[in-house]
Amino acid sequence: MGDAQMYIDGKWLDAAEGKRFDVVDPATGERFATVPDAQPEDAEAAIDAARRAFDEGPWSRSTERERETILLKAAEILRREADRIAELESRDSGKPLGEAQEDVAETAFMFEYYGGWATKVTGEIPPVGREAMSLVVKEPVGVAAAITPWNYPIMMATQKVAPAIAAGCTIVLKPAEQTPMTALELPAILEEAGLPAGVLNVITGFGETAGAPLVHSPKVDKVGFTGSLEVGKIIMRDGADTLKRVTLELGGKSPNIFYSDAAFDEAVEGTCNGIFWNQGEICSAGSRVFVERSIYDDALQAMVDHGKQVKVGRGLDPDTTMGPLVSKEQQERVLGYIEKGKQEAKVALLGDGPSDPALSGGYFVPPTIFYDSTNDTTIAREEIFGPVMTVIPFTEVDEVIRLSNDNDYGLAAAVWTRDIKKAINTAKALRAGTVWINDSQPAPTEAPWGGYKQSGVGRELGPYGLEDYLEVKHIYVNLVEE
Ligand code: NAI
Ligand code: MG
């Protein structure tokens, strides 16, 4: 794969100081590429390019139709390159290839979806009396920074880049240092699709050196961030000086409510997938599993049986259903929680890692199920971001709703029951941005995504994801005859 470069003002460049860092295959712990280690001056160059393209460049005169055409074309080009890019995503992040292929397919659709929106943003003419007319128009917010995480690299980047382009913004994207590779595919795709230089700039680097300057810069109008609660709070504080528009998609400790009248097998499978997909590295993972007492033993046994079927291995291996965690740091963090869990609850499953000795240096963590936990343990309160399920029994509907809401996060929740009234009443009572009924984890591009409480600020996806890249201008016209 070699030494990649980053993309500023339509040019492929090294970092100004020439420093680089390693991109590691988490299945082996070995380097497979290097990327530039962007410093504040590189971030500044990217911001300046984005600023010029917005204020003076061809983008300032772009039409909605042109933006639609570019985004639709980008979807087509991404589909042409899908196999190669999915493989790169799997290698870089560790996730199973099949899941990476789904991610890339949804990413292509995101380009199309927001391409469609580009020509459909309209204003309003609110009534203000006979003697005036008010025109409300939507305009691009300006230069947008996108700071993204490593769990869904190409999706999280495109979830910000595509609506920004549709709105007419320019962008500086800083992907996570753990998984920079697929973000570096976006410039070539968009360039081929007709995007002018300077509109999308991608800098690879670390949070404090390459990310923070984007948040501090007075030349950046908006920051879209997905990542940890801790850094989300820093970004909100750092953005305050320049009163940035900040949208934050942070973590979760999502409840998964398994009622006794659920379709049992479907609920078992969905509950397990909700924490074992993507190695559990999902902000909305159903990590707190509440099971009604009357089916508790059976459900636990069935989930353990399901967990034992998980095949841990290299993401690129077609048999693999769970890959390694993204980094050594993340592996250590999750193993630390597992040690903690052993003191706080009972262990129902500590699965097997890969048997292949070639993977002995990989960052694997086996599927793990704790049970008989309360809602107050560390493993029930904190985001683990790994394949670790915490099972908690309950008896009453009111009780499980109270427990579900008793957490600082509020990103998502799943409810499994055949009783439609109970399903909807539970969904309404949960303080979460997304509630799945008889499912877990779908996040269609057309629907809003984001958190209540400390899971975030604002919404991505759907028309909501576009609104954040638009300013609202009121033009008032005096109609009184002289
Ligand atoms: P992180 O929040 O540090 O990283 C996310 C992004 O923020 C990266 O691009 C990083 O370079 C950037 N960043 C870090 N510090 C920054 C700063 N001061 N200013 C600007 N940008 C900055 O996440 P990390 O450390 O990789 O993972 C830690 C935990 O965060 C995970 O264990 C998980 O619990 C949670 N997480 C949640 C995600 C989500 O989807 N909501 C995604 C990734 C992690
Ligand atoms: Mg960090």
Side-chain angles (χ1 to χ4, degrees):
M1 218 113 307
D3 298 333
Q5 290 180 303
M6 57 189 184
Y7 188 80
I8 298 174
D9 209 9
K11 295 186 233 14
W12 291 96
L13 300 171
D14 294 321
E17 288 178 12
K19 284 208 287 185
R20 306 194 135 259
F21 64 94
D22 291 347
V23 185
V24 170
D25 178 344
T28 60
E30 284 163 16
R31 172 177 79 190
F32 71 98
T34 70
V35 291
D37 186 356
Q39 300 301 303
E41 59 185 304
D42 300 301
E44 194 64 28
I47 294 166
D48 286 343
R51 199 70 253 174
R52 274 195 308 276
F54 184 79
D55 293 331
E56 309 148 27
W59 203 239
S60 61
R61 296 180 298 279
S62 71
T63 66
E64 292 75 15
R65 281 191 186 198
E66 283 162 6
R67 303 204 290 264
E68 172 163 345
T69 304
I70 288 168
L71 289 165
L72 296 182
K73 191 86 207 294
E76 209 177 283
I77 299 166
L78 177 55
R79 289 206 179 95
R80 186 188 76 204
E81 303 291 324
D83 288 346
R84 183 180 61 78
I85 292 176
E87 206 179 303
L88 188 58
E89 188 83 314
S90 171
R91 183 186 307 263
D92 200 4
S93 69
K95 68 174 68 197
L97 181 59
E99 295 185 24
Q101 285 164 339
E102 287 178 29
D103 293 358
V104 172
E106 190 67 13
T107 302
F109 177 66
M110 274 178 201
F111 279 119
E112 253 161 17
Y113 177 80
Y114 283 110
W117 265 116
T119 48
K120 289 156 199 80
V121 174
T122 54
E124 283 173 294
I125 308 176
V128 290
R130 297 175 59 83
E131 299 183 338
M133 180 180 258
S134 278
L135 308 175
V136 178
V137 296
K138 306 269 180 79
E139 298 182 342
V141 88
V143 174
I147 300 176
T148 55
W150 40 259
N151 55 340
Y152 285 92
I154 196 168
M155 282 179 84
M156 294 295 139
T158 306
Q159 190 155 317
K160 298 170 176 59
V161 167
I165 291 174
C169 294
T170 58
I171 307 130
V172 180
L173 165 64
K174 195 210 77 69
E177 54 272 26
Q178 296 86 349
T179 56
M181 298 310 287
T182 52
L184 289 173
E185 296 288 328
L186 296 177
I189 291 171
L190 283 155
E191 194 181 289
E192 186 183 338
L195 195 75
V199 179
L200 171 66
N201 306 276
V202 184
I203 56 171
T204 51
F206 291 81
E208 280 172 24
T209 37
L214 305 178
V215 186
H216 284 287
S217 172
K219 299 176 205 160
V220 173
D221 301 289
K222 183 217 147 72
V223 176
F225 170 78
T226 305
S228 63
L229 175 58
E230 183 194 355
V231 175
K233 288 179 180 173
I234 293 173
I235 287 180
M236 208 167 194
R237 281 190 210 108
D238 284 358
D241 286 339
T242 51
L243 218 71
K244 286 269 180 315
R245 280 153 191 72
V246 172
T247 45
L248 304 173
E249 205 270 86
L250 309 174
K253 192 71 193 179
S254 298
N256 179 100
I257 303 176
F258 193 156
Y259 284 119
S260 59
D261 55 5
F264 187 82
D265 294 345
E266 181 188 62
V268 166
E269 190 179 342
T271 300
C272 288
N273 286 338
I275 184 70
F276 295 145
W277 259 331
N278 209 52
Q279 304 76 240
E281 294 168 321
I282 313 183
C283 47
S284 54
S287 50
R288 274 190 300 155
V289 173
F290 294 100
V291 182
E292 196 165 339
R293 279 248 184 238
S294 57
I295 54 155
Y296 187 73
D297 293 343
D298 290 346
L300 185 63
Q301 188 56 52
M303 292 191 295
V304 168
D305 291 344
H306 192 283
K308 284 182 182 160
Q309 302 302 314
V310 171
K311 176 104 181 30
V312 179
R314 186 166 202 213
L316 292 170
D317 178 341
D319 295 336
T320 294
T321 57
M322 185 189 286
L325 299 193
V326 73
S327 64
K328 182 146 196 63
E329 186 190 6
Q330 191 62 19
Q331 180 195 34
E332 282 167 2
R333 183 179 293 150
V334 175
L335 290 175
Y337 277 113
I338 291 177
E339 283 314 304
K340 186 101 199 160
K342 287 178 185 168
Q343 295 152 27
E344 294 181 328
K346 295 179 189 154
V347 179
L349 175 70
L350 258 179
D352 296 320
S355 47
D356 183 352
L359 304 181
S360 59
Y363 312 134
F364 295 93
V365 171
T368 302
I369 301 178
F370 290 109
Y371 72 110
D372 281 4
S373 177
T374 66
N375 198 42
D376 297 322
T377 57
T378 314
I379 55 166
R381 299 209 74 79
E382 294 183 15
E383 179 171 61
I384 297 176
F385 230 66
V388 182
M389 180 195 290
T390 302
V391 183
I392 304 168
F394 74 91
T395 41
E396 304 287 339
V397 174
D398 289 349
E399 176 197 7
V400 76
I401 289 170
R402 181 175 49 75
L403 292 171
S404 294
N405 285 336
D406 180 14
N407 191 276
D408 289 340
Y409 291 113
L411 186 58
V415 182
W416 302 88
T417 173
R418 285 193 175 101
D419 180 336
I420 183 72
K421 289 185 183 172
K422 186 158 62 174
I424 292 181
N425 285 327
T426 303
K428 285 172 71 177
L430 291 169
R431 301 269 301 153
T434 296
V435 181
W436 294 287
I437 295 174
N438 296 326
D439 213 326
S440 180
Q441 304 309 318
T445 294
E446 303 91 327
W449 182 254
Y452 280 36
K453 302 193 277 183
Q454 293 192 33
S455 284
V457 175
R459 292 291 180 273
E460 292 195 305
L461 300 181
Y464 304 88
L466 187 63
E467 288 295 327
D468 278 326
Y469 292 90
L470 293 166
E471 274 288 11
V472 177
K473 179 178 283 176
H474 172 210
I475 301 173
Y476 180 93
V477 190
N478 178 353
L479 297 180
V480 180
E481 299 282 359
E482 283 173 42

